[in-house]
Amino acid sequence: MPDVVGPRNTPTDQSPRKKGWRKAEIIDMAALCFMERGYHATSVDEVADRLGCTKGRIYHYYASKIDLFFDVHREGMKKLFEAIEPAMKTTGDGLTVLHAMLMAHAKAMLEHHTFENVVAQGVQIHRFDATTEDQRQTMKLLIDSRDRFEGFFKDQIAAAIADKTLRDMDVSVTAKVLLGALQWSIFWYRARPDETVAEREELARKMVEPLIDGLRRN
Amino acid sequence: MPDVVGPRNTPTDQSPRKKGWRKAEIIDMAALCFMERGYHATSVDEVADRLGCTKGRIYHYYASKIDLFFDVHREGMKKLFEAIEPAMKTTGDGLTVLHAMLMAHAKAMLEHHTFENVVAQGVQIHRFDATTEDQRQTMKLLIDSRDRFEGFFKDQIAAAIADKTLRDMDVSVTAKVLLGALQWSIFWYRARPDETVAEREELARKMVEPLIDGLRRN
DNA sequence: ACAAAAACATACTCGATTGTATGTTTTTAC
DNA sequence: GTAAAAACATACAATCGAGTATGTTTTTGT
């Protein structure tokens, strides 16, 4: 009689045999589930089911559900930082660099909207769900990273004002408004399976353009 | 021996004796709890505790937790519609009216951020939690009302483009970007207890200004 | 004043879910 | 080739929270 459970996937089935790819597989599916139903409404069993395995696998890698959430959040923030990094190194006046950062951020929000949706949920999951001291420490680090990310935009806005390429305006509020405008896409954007990079780029352009040029005609 | 449970509050304790104020009290507390912890993380017992009563009271008015959520959502949408209504009746060119609508919306988002936070959660609570046919019907009506609200802004943007007071741009994307910029405040804005109306108005102005005037200097 | 209805409180059921304990298979290291 | 470790699966415990059934008090209508 053959085994009821088939042989486990070999690394070559998936992406090239990178170390830790089994864990990454879990993170990706968790991000998808958390996006679709929200963190609290998603059960660990559900994530396992959609991976075609059992809870045992997930709890082999993660001590608790919230720790899995933290990893998804961390990955989401990593993608955000990596996306704007090239734009920040651009040479140009203050507004030009800011424009490039906003475009990069918009594209990243669309491309990784699964993860970024979960990042947004992280704002609400504060102190309540992090019970152990270790978890509270992790939570603090994640909040810090979100603040640092926003800080990059605040700094660039301030630089552009000093630069005279930007009118004088409230740096903090403007940063939140601009980022919010792009990040709100987690609520309305869903990737089409056949969507090309060029199409996403075009959508990102349509998003950033009214922010840079404003609404006034001249 | 006196009663363990004190006498129930009389209408005069709270707002003027409006019919249904006992229900409104529940809605308000539910909105607060749902905002602070999210719908799924909030238990009905918790809402009751913070009201100083028991579940019995809530289930006297509501058949289920999701029905309570629906009422909070409905109230949130009602506040949004009422806020922009005067602005929509303003006479003026397309951009002027749009500006007034955005200001009204920004102020409403700040003033009722508790309810509007819950409205945003409603986007994720789709088909899964609405089990009965009646609940699915209610859910559909709420989604429709959100679409109608966005439609008002899309129409006004289109009118302003036709009006030549607005450059040509993607109506749908621009509407989502503008509304998102203001609605993202649910994540960062929390009301100070001593905050005045004038202060909120000033904050709303700082939010809308970069959207209308854009970032470019000239 | 009194019956009916409204407005709750109390105590319970029951399903769903997180986390654990343990067994089994696969891989790795030597 | 073999022992150890990694990578799971299985079955269970223990909690928590939604919803219900029922009793009690307060209000209301006449």
Side-chain angles (χ1 to χ4, degrees):
Chain A
M1 188 173 80
D3 282 325
V4 190
V5 177
R8 285 171 193 160
N9 293 340
T10 63
T12 43
D13 290 350
Q14 201 76 8
S15 59
R17 62 183 71 219
K18 251 179 49 190
K19 184 204 155 202
W21 72 281
R22 303 287 287 169
K23 206 172 174 181
E25 208 180 28
I26 296 176
I27 297 177
D28 286 344
M29 184 57 75
L32 183 61
C33 293
F34 290 163
M35 178 199 72
E36 287 181 358
R37 306 207 36 181
Y39 171 74
H40 287 289
T42 303
S43 70
V44 177
D45 282 304
E46 188 185 333
V47 179
D49 285 350
R50 294 184 63 174
L51 278 170
C53 65
T54 70
K55 271 205 300 219
R57 180 174 166 196
I58 295 177
Y59 278 102
H60 174 69
Y61 292 97
Y62 292 99
S64 69
K65 184 186 172 184
I66 190 94
D67 284 311
L68 173 56
F69 175 85
F70 286 153
D71 242 19
V72 176
H73 192 295
R74 226 189 315 269
E75 184 65 25
M77 286 309 300
K78 188 182 164 202
K79 290 177 193 295
L80 289 186
F81 278 108
E82 287 175 352
I84 64 165
E85 200 175 346
M88 287 177 66
K89 291 177 179 166
T90 300
T91 56
D93 59 57
L95 182 59
T96 303
V97 174
L98 180 61
H99 191 163
M101 287 171 66
L102 289 173
M103 269 301 292
H105 185 49
K107 282 194 281 185
M109 286 300 302
L110 299 178
E111 187 174 351
H112 309 118
H113 74 283
T114 307
F115 280 85
E116 308 316 334
N117 190 302
V118 179
V119 168
Q121 290 182 43
V123 184
Q124 331 281 68
I125 313 277
H126 18 254
R127 55 196 178 286
F128 296 109
D129 302 271
T131 55
T132 75
E133 182 53 39
D134 198 53
Q135 289 171 353
R136 268 191 291 272
Q137 184 65 22
T138 302
M139 174 112 277
K140 183 172 155 36
L141 288 176
L142 293 179
I143 293 174
D144 286 350
S145 83
R146 285 202 301 257
D147 290 345
R148 247 184 10 257
F149 185 80
E150 187 181 318
F152 283 150
F153 282 85
K154 283 202 256 190
D155 290 347
Q156 190 57 40
I157 290 170
I161 291 175
D163 204 39
K164 306 281 190 193
T165 52
L166 201 62
R167 285 174 297 102
D168 190 45
M169 51 183 75
D170 189 294
V171 172
S172 179
V173 172
T174 302
K176 291 178 198 306
V177 165
L178 292 178
L179 290 177
L182 304 181
Q183 287 163 187
W184 192 257
S185 60
I186 62 172
F187 289 115
W188 54 266
Y189 175 77
R190 290 297 176 270
R192 287 204 335 259
D194 59 330
E195 197 169 61
T196 69
V197 177
E199 284 173 325
R200 271 206 302 271
E201 174 122 11
E202 171 62 11
L203 177 54
R205 216 187 45 71
K206 287 179 181 172
M207 291 166 66
V208 173
E209 185 195 14
L211 297 176
I212 294 290
D213 295 332
L215 301 177
R216 275 190 211 291
R217 184 165 184 79
N218 68 342
Chain B
M1 189 174 82
D3 280 327
V4 190
V5 176
R8 285 170 191 159
N9 293 340
T10 62
T12 43
D13 291 351
Q14 200 77 6
S15 59
R17 62 183 72 218
K18 248 177 50 189
K19 183 207 157 200
W21 73 280
R22 302 287 287 169
K23 206 172 174 179
E25 208 180 28
I26 297 176
I27 297 178
D28 287 344
M29 185 56 77
L32 184 61
C33 293
F34 290 162
M35 178 199 71
E36 287 181 359
R37 306 208 37 183
Y39 171 74
H40 287 289
T42 303
S43 69
V44 177
D45 282 305
E46 188 185 334
V47 178
D49 284 350
R50 294 184 64 175
L51 277 171
C53 66
T54 69
K55 270 205 298 218
R57 180 175 166 196
I58 294 178
Y59 279 102
H60 174 70
Y61 292 97
Y62 292 99
S64 69
K65 184 185 173 186
I66 191 85
D67 284 311
L68 173 56
F69 175 84
F70 285 152
D71 241 20
V72 175
H73 191 296
R74 226 189 313 270
E75 184 65 26
M77 286 308 301
K78 187 182 166 201
K79 290 177 192 298
L80 289 186
F81 278 108
E82 286 175 353
I84 64 166
E85 200 175 346
M88 287 176 67
K89 291 178 179 166
T90 301
T91 57
D93 60 56
L95 183 59
T96 303
V97 174
L98 180 61
H99 191 163
M101 287 171 66
L102 289 173
M103 270 300 293
H105 185 49
K107 283 194 282 184
M109 285 301 302
L110 299 178
E111 187 174 350
H112 310 118
H113 74 282
T114 307
F115 280 85
E116 308 316 334
N117 190 301
V118 180
V119 168
Q121 291 182 41
V123 185
Q124 330 283 67
I125 315 276
H126 18 252
R127 56 196 178 288
F128 295 109
D129 301 271
T131 56
T132 75
E133 182 53 39
D134 198 53
Q135 289 171 352
R136 269 190 292 272
Q137 184 65 22
T138 302
M139 173 112 279
K140 182 171 158 36
L141 288 176
L142 293 179
I143 293 174
D144 286 350
S145 84
R146 285 202 301 259
D147 290 344
R148 243 180 19 251
F149 185 79
E150 188 181 317
F152 283 152
F153 282 86
K154 284 203 257 190
D155 290 348
Q156 190 57 39
I157 290 171
I161 290 175
D163 205 38
K164 306 282 189 191
T165 51
L166 200 63
R167 284 174 297 101
D168 189 45
M169 51 182 76
D170 189 295
V171 172
S172 180
V173 173
T174 302
K176 290 177 198 306
V177 165
L178 293 178
L179 290 178
L182 303 181
Q183 287 163 187
W184 192 258
S185 60
I186 61 171
F187 289 115
W188 54 265
Y189 174 77
R190 290 297 178 269
R192 290 203 333 261
D194 58 330
E195 197 170 61
T196 69
V197 177
E199 285 173 323
R200 271 205 302 270
E201 174 122 11
E202 172 62 10
L203 177 53
R205 216 188 46 72
K206 287 179 181 173
M207 291 167 66
V208 173
E209 185 194 15
L211 297 176
I212 293 291
D213 295 333
L215 302 177
R216 277 191 209 291
R217 186 165 180 78
N218 69 341

